[in-house]
Amino acid sequence: MKLLSRYLLKELVIPLVVWVVFLFLLLFVMQFLRGTDVLLGSAVTLLDMGRILVYLAPHFLMMALPIAFLLAILLGLGRLAEDRELTALQSLGIGPGRLLAGPLFVGVVLSALMLLLTSTAEPWGLTRVKEFVAEIIKKNVVGDVKPGVFYEDLSHLTLYAERVEGADRRWAHVLLNDDRDPAAPLLMLAQAGRVNTNTSGQVLTLVLQDGEAHRSNRGSSNYSVVSFAEAEIAVGVEGSLGRRNRFRSPKEELTPDELLQAAREAERTGGDARAFLMALHNRLGNALAPISFALLGTPLAIGRRQGGRAWGYLLTLGGYVLFYLLMRLFEQMGQQGRMPVALAGQLANLIFCAAGLVAMYRVNRSGTVR
């Protein structure tokens, strides 16, 4: 039996690892394409790309593990069924029910790993990648300002520098037009300027030196001119550069304890705590998905007659899409108060578990492993 268990686990683990790696790379490429305006900036290095990959790895694993596991079950055990190996096992007195132990064991291990990731590494990684990409955006501004070219990537700000000098790319003869207040636009002319990249948080600071600030009031004839030795213009990343930051998902950046604290704070202030509680139970439901996939995928794999890999791919895609749609449907119902949030977070898993038990019963009852 130990030899059989190792053989069945090998049929699951090897394709699981292959599919996890493939889906992980696919997710990273898709995220990279969404953020090319940031990730292909002049300040980005290979080390920066590596750090982003590390920060996003827990989030990508949370997305890749369930579907990779379902693929491994349907293709791994499905191959045994097609090659009649399961029929040979049945002739030795090994029924379909005993074949469930391997996938269920792997599913429990994956669920434990996903619970750990969603409680610690995933929130940490998403928080760090958000901060790190904000810093990259700031540094890109330093390298993207070209001499003699108007720079307009900052919302409602237009920047022009006649020359860009030195390793720190300081600007000479600078023009800055600030239209963030349409009623009172600001024009600044300075002898020198630079970007202060040492500011923390999502704030970009432009430092101008030896210049004049011209402000007009479109509602009147007032016009003012102020000379300055040094002036700082703060630009919020959320307002001006945040639209370029594709790596944001606020509730996923919170740990379970932080979600509970946010829910309690919302209740204390008279707000709606359901959104935070639903996010917590939804993450728990996603983490337990491998167990329900094991219960449903095993009888579907060992009970099929034919169809090959195409059948496995199609069933995996259909099953995962159905699971995701159910999760989204019940999440909305939980947020709207139409069902308890704890039930809404687990109902998709309960449905898949029930369907898997019915399918396993039918396979057992048939008395054959086809």
Side-chain angles (χ1 to χ4, degrees):
M1 291 305 299
K2 290 184 178 180
L3 180 61
L4 175 62
S5 299
R6 288 197 298 268
Y7 180 68
L8 293 177
L9 285 176
K10 184 188 71 171
E11 292 295 321
L12 288 175
V13 173
I14 292 178
L16 172 63
V17 172
V18 171
W19 281 110
V20 166
V21 173
F22 171 77
L23 292 173
F24 184 94
L25 294 176
L26 178 63
L27 289 169
F28 181 75
V29 170
M30 292 173 62
Q31 188 69 76
F32 177 85
L33 293 176
R34 291 180 61 200
T36 51
D37 51 347
V38 174
L39 298 179
L40 294 182
S42 57
V44 180
T45 65
L46 288 178
L47 180 60
D48 293 332
M49 294 291 291
R51 291 180 63 182
I52 290 176
L53 181 61
V54 170
Y55 294 148
L56 288 175
H59 183 58
F60 289 163
L61 284 175
M62 288 292 298
M63 299 173 65
L65 283 172
I67 189 170
F69 181 49
L70 186 57
L71 271 168
I73 293 174
L74 293 173
L75 297 181
L77 296 185
R79 186 198 66 78
L80 298 180
E82 288 184 344
D83 293 346
R84 304 299 180 183
E85 293 184 39
L86 297 184
T87 302
L89 292 176
Q90 187 190 26
S91 67
L92 298 175
I94 301 174
R98 296 173 65 179
L99 299 176
L100 179 62
L104 193 57
F105 171 76
V106 177
V108 171
V109 172
L110 291 180
S111 290
L113 174 61
M114 291 177 66
L115 283 172
L116 179 63
L117 289 175
T118 196
S119 300
T120 56
E122 185 184 24
W124 169 82
L126 291 175
T127 300
R128 292 295 299 131
V129 77
K130 180 178 178 179
E131 297 170 351
F132 185 61
V133 170
E135 293 301 319
I136 287 179
I137 292 173
K138 297 177 190 178
K139 294 177 181 179
N140 282 343
V141 175
V142 178
D144 290 345
V145 175
K146 307 298 182 184
V149 178
F150 286 95
Y151 182 80
E152 299 178 324
D153 282 359
L154 301 173
S155 296
H156 305 294
L157 292 173
T158 301
L159 179 65
Y160 175 87
E162 186 177 273
R163 298 194 308 275
V164 179
E165 303 169 337
D168 55 355
R169 299 188 63 83
R170 290 178 175 267
W171 309 323
H173 300 161
V174 184
L175 178 150
L176 176 66
N177 185 58
D178 185 350
D179 278 331
R180 288 178 292 179
D181 184 359
L186 177 67
L187 176 66
M188 304 186 73
L189 304 174
Q191 293 296 317
R194 60 185 174 85
V195 176
N196 183 5
T197 59
N198 295 324
T199 56
S200 60
Q202 300 196 9
V203 177
L204 174 70
T205 302
L206 307 179
V207 181
L208 302 181
Q209 298 171 329
D210 299 326
E212 294 180 340
H214 300 252
R215 183 180 291 276
S216 62
N217 192 324
R218 292 176 178 173
S220 66
S221 59
N222 294 337
Y223 188 90
S224 58
V225 179
V226 177
S227 298
F228 58 86
E230 182 173 285
E232 293 187 353
I233 305 297
V235 182
V237 172
E238 284 293 333
S240 296
L241 298 179
R243 58 188 172 84
R244 300 170 63 188
N245 189 339
R246 308 289 185 177
F247 306 91
R248 298 185 297 172
S249 185
K251 289 188 178 63
E252 291 180 343
E253 297 168 13
L254 302 178
T255 65
D257 287 341
E258 291 171 339
L259 285 172
L260 288 175
Q261 292 175 8
R264 286 193 291 266
E265 180 64 20
E267 290 178 347
R268 188 182 66 82
T269 58
D272 188 0
R274 281 196 299 265
F276 298 103
L277 293 175
M278 192 66 248
L280 174 62
H281 288 285
N282 199 49
R283 284 162 63 176
L284 179 61
N286 283 327
L288 297 179
I291 296 177
S292 60
F293 285 177
L295 289 172
L296 180 60
T298 301
L300 292 180
I302 65 179
R304 79 189 196 198
R305 295 178 181 275
Q306 57 184 5
R309 293 182 178 271
W311 185 92
Y313 294 141
L314 181 61
L315 191 57
T316 300
L317 178 61
Y320 189 75
V321 169
L322 176 61
F323 182 83
Y324 176 78
L325 292 177
L326 289 175
M327 289 289 291
R328 293 293 297 171
L329 172 64
F330 298 140
E331 179 184 1
Q332 293 296 323
M333 295 176 67
Q335 289 180 346
Q336 296 168 5
R338 296 165 61 185
M339 68 169 57
V341 292
L343 177 62
Q346 296 299 330
L347 191 52
N349 281 320
L350 294 175
I351 292 174
F352 269 51
C353 287
L357 293 175
V358 170
M360 181 60 71
Y361 170 77
R362 295 187 63 179
V363 171
N364 275 318
R365 188 180 179 185
S366 67
T368 59
V369 180
R370 294 184 293 268

